[in-house]
Amino acid sequence: MREKSVVLSGVMLMSALTLLGCQRSQDLSGVDSACAIDATDGPSRAACAQAIVSQMSIEQKVAQMIQGEIRDVTFDDVRQYGLGSVLNGGGSFPQENKYASVQDWIDLADGYYSASTDASGGSAGIPIIWGTDAVHGHNNVMGATLFPHNIGLGAARDPELVGKIISATAREVKATGIDWIFAPTVAVARDARWGRTYESFSSDPSLAASFVAPIVEAMQAEGVASTAKHFIGDGGTLRGDDRGETSLPLDGLVSIHGQGYVQAIDKDVMSVMASFNSWYGKKIHGSKAILTDLLREDLGFDGMVVSDWNGIGEVLGCTNDNCAQAINAGIDMVMVPSDWKSLYHTMLQQVDDGVISVERIDEAVTRILVMKMRAGLFTRGLPSTLAAQYDNQIGHAEHRAIAREAVRKSQVLLKNDKGLLPLSPGGRYLVAGPAADDIGLQSGGWTVSWQGTGNTNADFPGGTSIYDGLQAQVEAAGGSIVSDINANVDAAIVVFSETPYAEMQGDIYSVAWFDQRGERDLIQALSDRGVPVIAVFLTGRPMWVNDILNDVDAFVVSWLPGSEGVGVADMLLRDPSESVQFDFTGRLPMPWPALDVNVADRDLPVDEFLFPLGYGLSVEDRVVWSDVSERLIGADNSLDQEVFNGGPRGNWRLYTGDSSDWAVEATSSVSQSSSGSVKIKGIDRRVQEDARRLTFTSALATEEGRLSQVYMQSEYPTDLTDLNEAGGALVIDFRVVQKPTDSVSLRMDCKYPCSGRVRFSKVLLDAPASEWTRKSIPTACFVNEGLKLDRVDTAFVLATEGDMTLDISEIKLTTMPEISSIVSCADLVNDKEFASQ
């Protein structure tokens, strides 16, 4: 029996398929099975893909292997080059608008699809595929349901529920016209200092692997392509370094970090993403031993391999736009967000030179086409056609109910002295802590923005904070919630958290949790007054909090629950009707540390634990608490602090402003002041978006005033007195792209107008053009100009009335600036550049 072919757009493919007996008419009967686009068996799809590839030019083939980022790929680019794929990175949106509507996403998807199937410019007319990091819901889209991160799902230990979560996520992704999700992350996090620990289900290989098959099945059953990532060993690097070294014999590498891939391959996962880490000194992206010998020959994967963001550029001897080694090692599709055009021409030349064989190109493109067939791209038509069937899926009530259930099941109770939990909802309670009413903090990284920073509750329409959930349930039962920490209450619920982070920026030196907002003092004060305290910890990893565990009466690990904070409230409060009482069923997916570092070797993970993997109390359990040691082993007593390194660090936030609005937070990869006089764009210096380009354009300033500025500010003032006395300095790594046309000032503020301002024009004018430069400005220089050190809330302000383009990669406060980088206070005072203007 012959399998039918289907309509293909594009002059080139029409010609190729006609030769194969395929037809474009609606009458699909009697079509040659050599090109069964909608075949359900692998051999027929592969035969069709090979037939198409045989009719393509080398230019068309190479274009199919390239994936650019939506900020750097236009419809005309797709029409001209015939790119195989686009992606939206974390914090990337249609028209670079964080608040883009669902229709904006659909319109962009339609535009790319139409451009890709337009063969008038010489492309093959093959539908483009769009990939996205929907790692805990469709997390780039405003109003989407955000589920607990993987670490919380690992605590819930319910693979069936996880399958429902992925189905819901896939439907929300389809509602925006997107075809491909870069998930599941099947990493086994062995060192909690790794900044992607929360993307791992567990440190136990078998437990982590148990979630993979349900995810792949559920996602692909919804018609969305899935990706097992990152192959292989990303969770096992030395010191938890995000792009570091994983050194394990091959059998150990597979037994610890490979079990999830075995599950994914067994369920015919469509794609696998290569990992940033190295294996015995060689980057995975350039390793044929890993990407071909292990993945394909040993594990039997026959799908498509995609690289990670500019991952080929980290291979020794390669750059982002030139890495034949990665292609020859087994990369089929290359994720090169902004340098894709240069890569395209380089690859063509490498094929001409025989550095990359035509056979390797054909193999890669065949795999890409098979994936597109499996994802239904050749038969679907415009993305909007499919999206119309899912027009109510974003933030759907059923999805939020699934998320709420997942939140409840993920909560882990570590301490419950005297059976304090659950609380009677009719009582009087203090709800405190900066994380209590902050959906951004409870959602963590990969939430609207890449690092999860810069979000407010207004950015989560339909979501609920933990405070929202508590307030609604307590008031409905006749109780009350207060915010006065001195009020008489039955108990206090203090919610504290990590600051959101994602890859690279989330790597830490020790697993000790350091508060910067006074939570420890608050808990201690309440405890000293005899107020029963329940601590709720929002975290992406197990952390050392021994002192808090000693001080509180109950301790709940809430992980990163996502947009449905009401699920946390469900667990803290007793059901007033007693018809439904939720018990704590969550269990630790990773052991909980007793120490902040490994005593014997600080390069290794903590190896002493308070609670083992699998620990968790129910409300009926009665465990007598014995105080634990509060001594930090690896305490960092340094006065130094990072302000910006790849992104805002700690409590510092990045803002821009001018006279139209002095406080516009830069929360996405591209931001600007209200008037547009300042634009801030994420750029790559060493790795993905680890720097910002600041472009000042005076012509766009408002009539009220030409001054524009960029600054790093915290709502929690810091005392720099000791740092200053130790010879401290503000250190800035920068690169001048366009020299200033007017005077430039550099400030530190102590609740403006309390401020210290120095002149910075000459430093910038003297810096070598287009080269990275480090300059250290002693804090004493700012003190000389009026800065009060005991209440510094703004560590860096760069302001000008002119034009200027400057790249910034690092800002820090340190007691040990490099001698050669220090700028004297006298030079700053005597800076007479632009004095005559």
Side-chain angles (χ1 to χ4, degrees), residues 720-732 746-748 756-760 763 774-787 789 792 795 812-829:
L720 299 183
T721 303
D722 291 342
L723 181 134
N724 182 64
E725 290 178 355
L730 176 69
V731 180
I732 310 167
L746 180 67
R747 296 198 329 258
M748 295 181 74
R757 180 178 70 90
V758 300
R759 298 168 181 166
F760 206 57
V763 173
R774 171 171 292 182
K775 291 298 180 182
S776 301
I777 300 87
T779 51
C781 301
F782 300 103
V783 173
N784 294 342
E785 301 301 321
L787 181 69
L789 289 166
V792 175
K812 63 182 179 181
L813 293 160
T814 180
T815 58
M816 295 183 293
E818 297 173 8
I819 299 299
S820 60
S821 71
I822 296 176
V823 180
S824 75
C825 296
D827 287 344
L828 298 169
V829 170

Side-chain angles (χ1 to χ4, degrees), residues 702-756:
T702 62
E703 293 181 0
E704 289 80 5
R706 286 161 39 93
L707 186 70
S708 302
Q709 62 187 27
V710 172
Y711 57 100
M712 298 293 307
Q713 190 172 79
S714 170
E715 60 180 306
Y716 305 99
T718 185
D719 189 341
L720 299 183
T721 303
D722 291 342
L723 181 134
N724 182 64
E725 290 178 355
L730 176 69
V731 180
I732 310 167
D733 279 17
F734 64 90
R735 177 174 63 183
V736 177
V737 179
Q738 176 193 352
K739 293 193 174 185
T741 61
D742 204 333
S743 59
V744 180
S745 65
L746 180 67
R747 296 198 329 258
M748 295 181 74
D749 291 348
C750 36
K751 291 287 186 181
Y752 190 83
C754 173
S755 178

Side-chain angles (χ1 to χ4, degrees), residues 148 151-156 405-412 557-561 585-587:
I151 193 170
L153 300 181
E405 178 185 357
V407 172
R408 289 195 297 260
K409 290 185 174 180
S410 67
Q411 306 299 293
V412 178
V557 185
S558 195
W559 308 112
L560 298 171
T585 58
R587 299 295 179 258

Side-chain angles (χ1 to χ4, degrees), residues 501-819:
Y501 54 83
E503 57 191 285
M504 297 181 292
Q505 296 180 32
D507 294 352
I508 55 177
Y509 167 75
S510 109
V511 293
W513 180 77
F514 293 102
D515 70 325
Q516 297 171 302
R517 307 176 185 186
E519 292 97 323
R520 278 189 166 93
D521 289 342
L522 171 62
I523 289 170
Q524 184 67 59
L526 291 167
S527 179
D528 289 346
R529 282 175 45 207
V531 177
V533 178
I534 299 97
V536 178
F537 188 24
L538 304 178
T539 180
R541 50 191 151 205
M543 300 200 77
W544 185 95
V545 286
N546 286 13
D547 53 344
I548 296 176
L549 279 163
N550 285 337
D551 286 341
V552 301
D553 298 274
F555 191 100
V556 177
V557 185
S558 195
W559 308 112
L560 298 171
S563 62
E564 308 311 300
V566 64
V568 179
D570 291 341
M571 304 304 297
L572 299 179
L573 300 171
R574 186 178 298 115
D575 176 33
S577 68
E578 298 185 357
S579 59
V580 179
Q581 182 59 60
F582 299 111
D583 197 0
F584 286 86
T585 58
R587 299 295 179 258
L588 289 177
M590 303 172 187
W592 197 268
L595 298 175
D596 55 314
V597 294
N598 186 302
V599 176
D601 186 345
R602 297 189 185 184
D603 284 344
L604 300 179
V606 171
D607 60 355
E608 294 188 34
F609 305 106
L610 280 183
F611 306 107
L613 184 146
Y615 184 85
L617 300 174
S618 73
V619 294
E620 300 299 329
D621 290 331
R622 295 293 179 263
V623 178
V624 177
W625 180 262
S626 297
D627 281 356
V628 294
S629 171
E630 299 183 11
R631 187 169 71 92
L632 281 168
I633 305 299
D636 182 5
N637 295 315
S638 171
L639 299 171
D640 296 1
Q641 60 175 295
E642 289 184 319
V643 178
F644 182 96
N645 189 355
R649 306 307 294 260
N651 289 316
W652 300 103
R653 290 182 167 183
L654 177 62
Y655 293 86
T656 183
D658 52 36
S659 59
S660 61
D661 186 343
W662 289 112
V664 177
E665 188 171 2
T667 60
S668 62
S669 296
V670 179
S671 303
Q672 67 176 37
S673 62
S674 292
S675 71
S677 65
V678 184
K679 292 186 177 180
I680 302 177
K681 180 179 181 180
I683 62 169
D684 301 347
R685 180 185 179 183
R686 301 183 183 93
V687 293
Q688 179 182 351
E689 294 187 14
D690 63 340
R692 296 292 184 275
R693 175 156 292 172
L694 317 178
T695 302
F696 294 78
T697 306
S698 60
L700 297 176
T702 62
E703 293 181 0
E704 289 80 5
R706 286 161 39 93
L707 186 70
S708 302
Q709 62 187 27
V710 172
Y711 57 100
M712 298 293 307
Q713 190 172 79
S714 170
E715 60 180 306
Y716 305 99
T718 185
D719 189 341
L720 299 183
T721 303
D722 291 342
L723 181 134
N724 182 64
E725 290 178 355
L730 176 69
V731 180
I732 310 167
D733 279 17
F734 64 90
R735 177 174 63 183
V736 177
V737 179
Q738 176 193 352
K739 293 193 174 185
T741 61
D742 204 333
S743 59
V744 180
S745 65
L746 180 67
R747 296 198 329 258
M748 295 181 74
D749 291 348
C750 36
K751 291 287 186 181
Y752 190 83
C754 173
S755 178
R757 180 178 70 90
V758 300
R759 298 168 181 166
F760 206 57
S761 308
K762 191 173 189 306
V763 173
L764 297 177
L765 290 170
D766 289 348
S770 301
E771 292 184 17
W772 286 99
T773 302
R774 171 171 292 182
K775 291 298 180 182
S776 301
I777 300 87
T779 51
C781 301
F782 300 103
V783 173
N784 294 342
E785 301 301 321
L787 181 69
K788 304 299 183 184
L789 289 166
D790 61 342
R791 54 182 185 272
V792 175
D793 71 326
T794 310
F796 167 90
V797 185
L798 194 71
T800 185
E801 293 187 357
D803 299 337
M804 174 176 65
T805 301
L806 191 71
D807 295 341
I808 301 285
S809 69
E810 185 175 2
I811 304 169
K812 63 182 179 181
L813 293 160
T814 180
T815 58
M816 295 183 293
E818 297 173 8
I819 299 299

Side-chain angles (χ1 to χ4, degrees), residues 145-189:
T145 310
L146 298 182
F147 300 90
H149 274 290
N150 285 356
I151 193 170
L153 300 181
R157 283 168 165 70
D158 190 339
E160 182 179 350
L161 176 61
V162 171
K164 293 179 182 178
I165 288 170
I166 297 307
S167 293
T169 299
R171 289 192 291 272
E172 296 202 17
V173 167
K174 287 199 293 186
T176 56
I178 296 175
D179 326 285
W180 179 15
I181 298 176
F182 300 139
T185 300
V186 301
V188 179

